[in-house]
Amino acid sequence: MRSEQETVRAVKRYADTVRRLCMLHLKSYHDTEDIFQTVFLKYVLSSVVFENEEHEKAWFIRVTINACRDMLRNFFRSHTVPLEEVLNQAVEMSPDHSEVLEAVLTLPVKYRDVVYLHYYEGYTAGETAKILGKNVNTVYTLLTRSRQMLREKLGGDTYE
């Protein structure tokens, strides 16, 4: 079990990342808060020794994504939240990027994950591949396809 100091440090460092990942997957503030608590409870109870800060961050991302997927797979999940509600919350957090965020949220999950990790968290394709358990070339393909989808949704040029 981790100390209070370790836990407070981790919450300060990774709270935004965990919440953003949850919102991308779940599109619900309440579900995001549930998963947020679950992730940090797992951290407190975990005995994993991290090699460095990047290893710790990757652990948080992987645990968050897995918890979100578990919740989405839950047979008894009976409610949904309209996309407009998510966008309103996102605009409150960052009004300058609402159109792009709206387009990213409409992407299929496999594209959202790589876009988020690459553009919002700054991971390379290789690091993203390790975090998601995918081949590096698959990540490149997903990034290329997601950029094309976003260009079409946002009305940009079809060629770079």
Side-chain angles (χ1 to χ4, degrees), residues 7 26 32 35 37 52 102 107 125 133 137 149 152 154 159:
T7 305
L26 304 173
T32 294
I35 296 299
Q37 291 177 13
N52 54 40
E102 180 179 349
L107 293 174
N137 289 333
M149 285 185 234
E152 290 170 7
L154 297 171
Y159 301 104

Side-chain angles (χ1 to χ4, degrees), residues 95-108:
D96 299 338
H97 300 89
S98 62
E99 184 180 0
V100 174
L101 183 58
E102 180 179 349
V104 170
L105 289 172
T106 63
L107 293 174

